[in-house]
Amino acid sequence: ITGKNRVSVKGIPSNKGKHKAVMDSIDTILESVDHPLVAAKGSRMHGDQQQSVSFGSAPTSTQHQLVKPQLSFTVPVDNSTEAFAPLMFDAKTGKLSREKPGAAHPYHDEITNFNFPEKQLQPAEEQPYLELEGTPFTFIETKGALQELAATLAKETEIAVDLEHHSVHSFQGFTCLMQISTRSADFVVDVIALRDDMWLLKSVFLDAAIVKVLHGAESDIKWLQKDFGLYIANMFDTGIAMQTLRMPHSLYNVVDYFCQLKLDKKYQLADWRCRPLAGEMVMYARLDTHYLLYCYDRLRILLRNSENQALGNLLLHVFQQSRRLCLTRYEKPKFDSEQSFADGMGASLGGLN
């Protein structure tokens, strides 16, 4: 039985404490069976590889046991059937809290009302990317380091951002890593360890003077809201740009076309909950943003030099479409006992009813 093929357990005593204890025990058993099965399919590191990792704090028990991150979340995940309640940081109490379910987008006006700086809409020469080996890199897993990162990013005019998300063993899923690159450095943030402190990046993400470059950001925008209460103003989506230019628009294609580099995608389905993380996995994540600002430069030039009778200025069009994406509101997935099991299993259903 794998995580995707769970059986339901009925007849549990109604006492909440006993119910939780039994369900946690069953879940632990299923997870222990699931891990070797997933490893056998090649989508998780083997034990000897896990022992060679060098990023992130090790689990308190044993390196081979993966402790569920959800158990440490101070703001419990809301899996109720109510509408999503936006997560906000209360400066008065210094704590995270939730707005009323179904509340409007909290930063609609900030995202909608700013005008794109004229300089941003003009063609500019591309800035060559730094060779990976010579680029400073920082793995961030403490609040102090995150505060330093926020101060560093506040001085930038463009940053590249990406996320690694886990959804296999979670109904709504949760974000595990955030990658950020500037013109001169790369950062990977352990957002599981810093889940309650990610609001420190709020002012950077909402600062319209800083262009946030993401690729195919539809999911990222929702995950940032759901897990951290973070919202983005002034985004450039390189995926939207590639589609506008009628070019293959995967991140692999973007980097291959502009940098003549082929990204290794072997960790695309990796279990990003693992701590500590293998150096190879961190490098994989880092590459998703390292070249993105250079690709942004090249795309701006192509878009600015291209006109479309229907769309007009294509560079402005991409910025406007990216802004619309930033206004997307996260909505919880709906559970349908007659259909959700099939959606979760996908192609592996194999004709079973």
Side-chain angles (χ1 to χ4, degrees):
I1 300 174
T2 72
K4 293 183 179 179
N5 305 321
R6 298 287 172 84
V7 294
S8 63
V9 180
K10 299 182 179 179
I12 301 298
S14 60
N15 182 284
K16 289 186 178 180
K18 291 180 180 179
H19 178 98
K20 184 178 186 304
V22 172
M23 294 306 295
D24 285 349
S25 298
I26 292 172
D27 220 1
T28 299
I29 294 170
L30 291 171
E31 286 273 328
S32 67
V33 175
D34 196 29
H35 289 177
L37 288 175
V38 177
K41 289 193 279 186
S43 57
R44 180 177 295 142
M45 296 180 298
H46 296 291
D48 57 344
Q49 291 176 295
Q50 289 196 15
Q51 291 179 2
S52 66
V53 298
S54 55
F55 294 95
S57 301
T60 55
S61 51
T62 168
Q63 270 193 317
H64 300 289
Q65 182 178 353
L66 194 153
V67 179
K68 285 184 175 183
Q70 301 98 307
L71 299 178
S72 65
F73 292 172
T74 57
V75 179
V77 176
D78 178 12
N79 284 324
S80 72
T81 56
E82 288 188 323
F84 174 68
L87 190 65
M88 303 292 287
F89 176 75
D90 189 332
K92 293 181 180 179
T93 63
K95 296 180 179 180
L96 291 167
S97 61
R98 293 196 180 276
E99 299 284 284
K100 293 181 179 179
H105 194 297
Y107 298 102
H108 179 276
D109 292 345
E110 288 90 332
I111 294 171
T112 302
N113 294 337
F114 81 89
N115 294 318
F116 297 108
E118 187 60 31
K119 181 180 179 181
Q120 195 173 300
L121 301 176
Q122 297 301 319
E125 291 186 8
E126 69 267 19
Q127 299 182 43
Y129 56 83
L130 299 179
E131 292 300 323
L132 195 66
E133 292 75 13
T135 304
F137 169 71
T138 307
F139 186 85
I140 294 174
E141 57 178 340
T142 67
K143 184 176 180 179
L146 186 62
Q147 289 173 321
E148 292 180 11
L149 174 62
T152 297
L153 298 179
K155 302 173 185 176
E156 300 292 331
T157 55
E158 309 104 353
I159 61 174
V161 182
D162 189 40
L163 303 174
E164 301 298 341
H165 190 260
H166 175 83
S167 59
V168 177
H169 302 290
S170 169
F171 181 57
Q172 295 187 63
F174 53 89
T175 310
C176 300
L177 279 186
M178 178 184 289
Q179 304 94 276
I180 300 177
S181 291
T182 66
R183 298 285 183 178
S184 58
D186 297 327
F187 306 88
V188 171
V189 183
D190 184 351
V191 300
I192 291 178
L194 295 170
R195 185 178 175 91
D196 292 344
D197 301 312
M198 294 304 296
W199 60 268
L200 289 165
L201 297 181
K202 174 182 172 181
S203 60
V204 170
F205 279 27
L206 282 173
D207 188 347
I210 304 172
V211 182
K212 276 64 69 173
V213 181
L214 289 85
H215 181 86
E218 181 177 1
S219 294
D220 302 78
I221 291 295
K222 296 175 182 178
W223 296 338
L224 288 170
Q225 292 179 42
K226 170 175 64 73
D227 292 335
F228 315 122
L230 290 176
Y231 298 82
I232 293 180
N234 199 2
M235 181 179 75
F236 182 95
D237 189 320
T238 54
I240 292 176
M242 293 291 280
Q243 292 181 64
T244 300
L245 292 166
R246 299 180 180 274
M247 300 169 69
H249 53 269
S250 70
L251 180 61
Y252 179 93
N253 289 118
V254 174
V255 175
D256 184 26
Y257 184 85
F258 292 114
C259 305
Q260 290 75 56
L261 294 168
K262 298 187 182 298
L263 297 179
D264 186 350
K265 305 305 290 181
K266 73 176 182 177
Y267 288 114
Q268 191 166 12
L269 300 177
D271 191 336
W272 293 100
R273 299 175 300 169
C274 288
R275 295 295 183 275
L277 282 166
E280 266 193 352
M281 292 179 72
V282 173
M283 178 63 75
Y284 169 95
R286 180 185 174 189
L287 290 173
D288 283 347
T289 57
H290 179 77
Y291 302 103
L292 207 53
L293 291 178
Y294 174 74
C295 296
Y296 162 66
D297 290 343
R298 294 287 302 275
L299 283 165
R300 280 177 64 197
I301 294 171
L302 286 177
L303 290 165
R304 191 64 180 84
N305 293 336
S306 302
E307 292 292 332
N308 182 288
Q309 189 171 2
L311 301 177
N313 183 325
L314 292 188
L315 178 56
L316 178 60
H317 169 76
V318 170
F319 274 117
Q320 290 172 333
Q321 290 298 105
S322 299
R323 173 169 20 210
R324 291 189 182 96
L325 196 57
C326 290
L327 294 170
T328 304
R329 293 174 65 248
Y330 175 75
E331 294 183 3
K332 293 180 190 175
K334 294 181 179 179
F335 177 74
D336 178 355
S337 61
E338 298 299 320
Q339 181 60 34
S340 293
F341 79 98
D343 294 338
M345 295 178 70
S348 66
L349 190 58
L352 295 174
N353 63 26

